[in-house]
Amino acid sequence: MSVRQALGAATAAALLLLLAPSADALSGPYDQVTVDPTGHVGADGTVSLSGTYRCLSATGPVFVSSSVSQGDPRVRHGIGGTSAVCDGAVHRWTNSEKREPGTLTPGAAHVEATLMELRPGGGGLPLPAFHAQRQQDISLTEN
């Protein structure tokens, strides 16, 4: 093995050690968001999605946002937003949004939920910081 190859291998190993999560990080608490396997759609077009979240700390306001698609995955419908509390405990979230009746119907759907913070940024503008994200297939049921 040449010196160049040995240096490359040592550098790669050092980078892997730096990037690998520690045992504490793997076993300790972490930010997360979940999506319940069932959502609801009313006759008036109101869609409700729910799940849980947990975040440890934040310097700005934190929200759980959600969107749903049905049929064409390129068409996503934003479904509300909920303020989040970052105290390390698991909390429930529920987002609802009224859509034109028939836009979303009972049946299979795909949901994306995001736990996002608006951190103070330079120049006074808040900058988004993403804590956790989850995509999941669910079933929409009629209320």
Side-chain angles (χ1 to χ4, degrees), residues 35-40 47-50 65-79 93 103-114 133-141:
V35 176
D36 290 341
T38 303
H40 303 281
V47 177
S48 296
L49 304 172
S50 58
S65 63
S66 58
S67 64
V68 64
S69 63
Q70 204 172 39
D72 187 346
R74 298 172 299 172
V75 179
R76 303 199 61 77
H77 303 275
I79 306 297
W93 64 269
T103 301
L104 296 163
T105 58
H110 186 77
V111 171
E112 182 176 315
T114 304
Q133 186 265 345
R134 171 85 178 179
Q135 292 192 28
Q136 183 171 320
D137 292 329
I138 69 160
S139 178
L140 287 177
T141 61

Side-chain angles (χ1 to χ4, degrees), residues 1 4 8 57 67 80 84 92 94 98 117 126 142:
M1 178 185 286
R4 186 180 203 168
S57 65
S67 64
R92 297 257 338 135
T94 301
K98 189 171 182 177
E117 175 183 358
E142 191 170 353

Side-chain angles (χ1 to χ4, degrees), residues 50-97:
S50 58
T52 63
Y53 72 89
R54 175 175 60 185
C55 57
L56 299 178
S57 65
T59 57
V62 180
F63 303 93
V64 178
S65 63
S66 58
S67 64
V68 64
S69 63
Q70 204 172 39
D72 187 346
R74 298 172 299 172
V75 179
R76 303 199 61 77
H77 303 275
I79 306 297
T82 302
S83 293
V85 177
C86 290
D87 60 3
V90 175
H91 298 276
R92 297 257 338 135
W93 64 269
T94 301
N95 290 344
S96 296
E97 186 88 19

Side-chain angles (χ1 to χ4, degrees), residues 113-127:
T114 304
L115 184 61
M116 184 202 66
E117 175 183 358
L118 292 176
R119 288 188 181 152
L125 293 176
L127 300 173

